[in-house]
Amino acid sequence: MQRNKTLLQSTLCGDNVLILNKVFEKKLITEREYNNLKSINKEDVEGHVIKLVDKIMNKGDETCQDFLHLLQTDEDIKTTYPKLKNIQLSVTRSLPLPIQASSSNEGGIQPNGLCVIINNETFMDGKVRRGTNNDAESLAKVFSWLNFRVLMCKDQTKDQMVQTLTCFASLRDLSQLQQLDVKEWSNDVFTDLQGDPQHGDAFICCVLSHGTKGVVSGIDSKSLSIQETITTFKATGKSPLTGKPKVFLIQACQGRQMQRGVLSEDLQADDSQSPFIPEDADFLVALATVEDYKAMRHPIDGSWFIQSLCEQLKERCPRGEDITTILHHVNNQVSLKEGFIQHDRAKQMPEVRFTLRKRLVLSPQAGSP
């Protein structure tokens, strides 16, 4: 964008209102920024466009990349600004290239990878996490639509969870899968495992359980550290997942406190390259709530976090949005929800952290999930 800034600005002056509206529709700017740009006084058309382009550039590489993609793909924009085709808009090396989680060969489309769900519903102390099966099915539907092979392990103790994670991290000893009673999502139901699983371009792990600060619980109420869960998949010279994105979605409380609502007006490194990557690279962990707080789950509809995640994936994956962008929308949607527990007003704030080195884009199959 820096190289072509002057050309872009002069070209987009042809209809400054259209490009402003398109940028807002794609959520590259906030509503407040949109209103501010729209109501600028004492500026000519060129001045409006200059301020818009500067605003985009100040938002960083990812927003710049999304803006260039918009200019290249939107039919209204291509029709309105035909001179854009004469401008070199290809993304330079300084911008992160996306990991497109989609593989194919002459035999047809292959699964992007595995989505493994650990779904703890009934605990040994008699407690039942009502609504969790709805979460599991929602995840299975959306990730199978995103061309993942979806497997589920139900009601596991802490040791069984460790065994499951260790098995799927390497897939070297597949005989363990029978002991773990792994089920597979097929024809809208969980059924017996259909053949040996294999790793693909990405790995998704969903843990649905109780939890406290920094841990999730087995059905025996023993705690498994979330950090230990992630460490199982660290990059090694022998791991089939080294260099591939590994996404962990954790639906579990992280404490006993209740989130309260507060009033708000408005809800670089060097370029040297190495053949080695850090062992902690390529992870994304999305937690239903921040530390010390509860995560809300409806006994019929399922949890706020998982249901919002599935909704946003269905809406935004067909648009080509990457997983971190989608999780920003999940964070916002969940933060706006409100419930009551024993007459107390309840809020929830998910947390996302990642070491992904590239954008992860999940490509859906044709049709609805």
Side-chain angles (χ1 to χ4, degrees), residues 20 24 29-40:
L20 176 62
F24 177 60
I29 58 175
T30 66
E31 185 172 359
R32 174 176 287 183
E33 290 168 337
Y34 170 77
N35 289 329
N36 288 340
L37 288 166
K38 190 177 180 180
S39 59
I40 295 175

Side-chain angles (χ1 to χ4, degrees), residues 19-250:
I19 191 61
L20 176 62
N21 288 334
K22 288 289 185 179
V23 166
F24 177 60
E25 285 174 11
K26 292 296 182 181
K27 301 190 183 301
L28 301 184
I29 58 175
T30 66
E31 185 172 359
R32 174 176 287 183
E33 290 168 337
Y34 170 77
N35 289 329
N36 288 340
L37 288 166
K38 190 177 180 180
S39 59
I40 295 175
N41 294 320
K42 299 180 181 179
E43 288 283 2
D44 56 15
V45 169
E46 185 177 8
H48 279 263
V49 174
I50 288 172
K51 289 187 179 296
L52 172 61
V53 173
D54 285 343
K55 177 68 69 176
I56 295 293
M57 292 181 67
N58 288 336
K59 285 177 171 284
D61 285 350
E62 185 171 322
T63 302
C64 287
Q65 186 179 30
D66 290 340
F67 179 66
L68 293 177
H69 180 72
L70 173 66
L71 298 182
Q72 291 172 303
T73 58
D74 188 278
E75 292 302 324
D76 291 337
I77 289 177
K78 289 192 290 184
T79 300
T80 305
Y81 314 107
K83 291 182 180 179
L84 282 175
K85 64 183 179 183
N86 300 322
I87 303 176
Q88 177 55 258
L89 296 178
S90 59
V91 178
T92 63
R93 287 185 180 181
S94 62
L95 296 178
L97 297 174
I99 302 172
Q100 191 76 26
S102 180
S103 301
S104 62
N105 59 22
E106 294 180 359
I109 296 176
Q110 303 298 313
N112 288 335
L114 294 177
C115 171
V116 175
I117 302 170
I118 296 177
N119 179 21
N120 288 344
E121 179 188 27
T122 305
F123 286 67
M124 292 179 176
D125 60 5
K127 293 180 180 178
V128 178
R129 294 183 62 255
R130 293 184 297 161
T132 189
N133 290 333
N134 195 58
D135 281 349
E137 290 185 6
S138 295
L139 288 167
K141 288 177 181 177
V142 76
F143 280 109
S144 61
W145 172 65
L146 290 169
N147 203 30
F148 280 78
R149 188 174 175 190
V150 180
L151 309 179
M152 183 181 73
C153 298
K154 187 78 181 289
D155 291 343
Q156 293 199 315
T157 64
K158 181 249 187 173
D159 289 342
Q160 288 173 327
M161 294 168 69
V162 171
Q163 187 180 1
T164 295
L165 295 167
T166 303
C167 179
F168 280 107
S170 66
L171 289 180
R172 280 195 285 268
D173 186 4
L174 296 177
S175 63
Q176 297 182 61
L177 298 180
Q178 291 184 336
Q179 303 172 23
L180 297 169
D181 193 26
V182 179
K183 300 296 183 182
E184 181 164 358
W185 183 257
S186 178
N187 297 321
D188 288 334
V189 294
F190 283 107
T191 185
D192 292 336
L193 188 63
Q194 302 171 19
D196 293 341
Q198 294 181 331
H199 284 303
D201 298 323
F203 179 76
I204 311 288
C205 179
C206 311
V207 181
L208 316 176
S209 191
H210 288 307
T212 55
K213 186 174 181 177
V215 303
V216 291
S217 301
I219 61 168
D220 53 357
S221 297
K222 293 183 179 179
S223 297
L224 173 62
S225 161
I226 293 174
Q227 186 57 47
E228 181 182 344
T229 298
I230 298 165
T231 301
T232 306
F233 293 83
K234 274 191 175 183
T236 67
K238 297 181 180 179
S239 172
L241 289 170
T242 295
K244 298 178 181 180
K246 297 162 281 285
V247 176
F248 293 82
L249 307 171
I250 312 293

Side-chain angles (χ1 to χ4, degrees), residues 316-317 319-323 325-326 329 359-362:
R316 300 180 183 280
C317 284
R319 303 178 187 176
E321 295 187 25
D322 68 284
I323 188 70
T325 299
I326 291 171
H329 292 285
R359 297 167 65 237
L360 173 59
V361 179
L362 304 176

